[in-house]
Amino acid sequence: MVERLPAPEGMRWVEGAVTAPQGFRAAGVRCGIKTEGPDMGLLISAIPAKSWGLFTTNPVKAAPVIVSQSRVQRGRARGIIANSGCANCCTGPQGIADAEAMAALAAQGLGLATEEMLVASTGVIGAFLPMEKVRAGIDAAVQALSSEGGPDAARAIMTTDTVPKSSALEFSLPDGRVLRVGGIAKGVGMIEPHVATMFAFLTTDAPLPHERGASLLRLAADSTFNCLTVDGDMSTNDTVLLFSNGAAGGLALEADSKEEGLFLTALEAVCADLTRQIARDGEGATKLVEVRVSGARSTVDARRLAKAIANSNLVKTAFFGNDPNWGRILMAAGNAGVPFDANTARVTLAGYTVFELGRPAPFDAAQVSRAMAAEELTVRFEVDQGDAEVVVYTCDFSYDYVRINAEYTT
């Protein structure tokens, strides 16, 4: 399990995941879509809520993405019904009908309008949902809803994840109001998000104005989920949703105010915590890796360099073997399409400088290898072109990554 970073100043981590904020209930049940474990999750706000979403930019989009992407534009969704074990992707008109039916069944059970429910699915591509099991699962999830059900929902959306992923943070505004942000996520393979991530469902009892939620969500995702890669492959089902029900009371947070700044800090912290959990639980991973690039001309250049390093199979296998092979890191950076001068670059592994100013730095390979064996590894790549910095989260590649994906459908 990845070690949680300290909460931002004046804030504290709390339990409860997506049900930590006031007014949210959730459930996770088993209906038999998967061979074992819970596979149907439900999240709902007990009172009207605003909603915003980010979705995969892969042109191959799953049916639930198409349905939810259309509905979230209304900005008034109350919740999400989500299954694991079947992606409902590349399933044609029947897939769309099944996704709409999932949302309708959940809405009916909750006494809501169909348009108020969003839908998400994850699992094997090309399989149709077993709708009889889905119906039974939705009925059970509605009955199991609880203000303490956030952790159950986190377990229900897992596929090849080995652990559920959840986070929640509490903070106070200058006027004394106490607000919370919560989240759950899933995903350990087929992960290099663009605009969104695998699944990340976020909740808050903060009163957000509708016109600000989308930009705040995008800002938080851009520095967290969009700086994540496990294997360089973007999913067909990536979905990030934020629900705000204002249950904490008071006036809506004003744009660019101190109060909104505090909320964004909390939202980014929750998203970063979930991002780190996903990277550490990458398929077959043995360690969380942070690739930190600094001194680039722009954030775009810094991200390209960091992603090139983080996505290199040769680099990732070296991380698995605790091999301080800095040559692979330079090779990968050189493939990023970002010009830089190796004579002014520096590479640091686990706190040890291994390359600088165009030549190897003196270091004890055995000592650095031992340091690289920790469950969290930081790699720094510094260029001398500007002041842009980026952190990208990834993991190593082990033998198990190949095994898991070679046997995924067989």
Side-chain angles (χ1 to χ4, degrees), residues 22-278:
Q22 297 179 59
F24 287 95
R25 295 182 295 159
V29 300
R30 171 166 175 74
C31 65
I33 302 175
K34 296 194 304 187
T35 57
E36 60 182 3
D39 47 21
M40 185 66 69
L42 177 60
L43 168 65
I44 187 71
S45 173
I47 59 177
K50 302 180 181 72
S51 60
W52 304 270
L54 299 171
F55 302 88
T56 182
T57 56
N58 192 321
V60 181
K61 290 178 171 60
V65 168
I66 295 169
V67 171
S68 292
Q69 196 165 21
S70 174
R71 291 185 176 182
V72 81
Q73 294 176 10
R74 297 174 64 252
R76 297 191 298 277
R78 291 271 291 271
I80 176 88
I81 182 73
N83 73 274
S84 57
C86 176
N88 191 12
C89 179
C90 297
T91 48
Q94 184 61 52
I96 297 292
D98 289 343
E100 291 176 339
M102 279 185 64
L105 288 166
Q108 182 180 2
L110 294 164
L112 303 176
T114 299
E115 294 74 17
E116 292 185 278
M117 287 302 301
L118 306 179
V119 60
S121 299
T122 181
V124 177
I125 293 172
F128 290 96
L129 284 167
M131 290 305 293
E132 288 304 315
K133 294 180 179 179
V134 167
R135 291 186 183 92
I138 292 173
D139 288 343
V142 170
Q143 295 302 315
L145 277 171
S146 166
S147 59
E148 299 178 350
D152 293 332
R155 284 186 285 271
I157 60 175
M158 293 167 55
T159 48
T160 53
D161 305 59
T162 65
V163 293
K165 297 158 185 68
S166 64
S167 185
L169 194 65
E170 181 181 274
F171 64 103
S172 298
L173 297 182
D175 63 11
R177 280 183 290 172
V178 177
L179 307 180
R180 286 184 171 187
V181 176
I184 59 175
K186 64 79 53 185
V188 289
M190 197 188 292
I191 292 173
E192 186 182 4
H194 293 272
V195 180
T197 185
M198 306 53 56
F199 280 177
F201 305 148
L202 306 160
T203 59
T204 183
D205 48 21
L208 298 180
H210 183 264
E211 63 273 12
R212 294 296 292 172
S215 59
L216 294 172
L217 177 59
R218 189 174 294 276
L219 282 170
D222 196 47
S223 62
T224 57
F225 300 132
N226 284 336
C227 287
L228 166 67
T229 179
V230 167
D231 46 24
D233 289 320
M234 178 172 52
S235 173
T236 56
N237 292 57
D238 292 349
T239 301
V240 173
L241 299 170
L242 171 62
F243 298 93
S244 164
N245 64 11
L251 298 175
L253 307 187
E254 293 185 6
D256 301 317
S257 64
K258 179 178 181 180
E259 289 79 5
E260 185 185 78
L262 287 169
F263 171 79
L264 180 58
T265 296
L267 182 63
E268 288 176 331
V270 168
C271 292
D273 188 36
L274 293 171
T275 297
R276 285 167 50 84
Q277 291 179 53
I278 291 168

Side-chain angles (χ1 to χ4, degrees), residues 387-399:
D387 57 7
E389 300 183 21
V390 159
V391 181
V392 164
Y393 305 89
T394 190
C395 57
D396 57 342
F397 265 176
S398 72
Y399 312 120

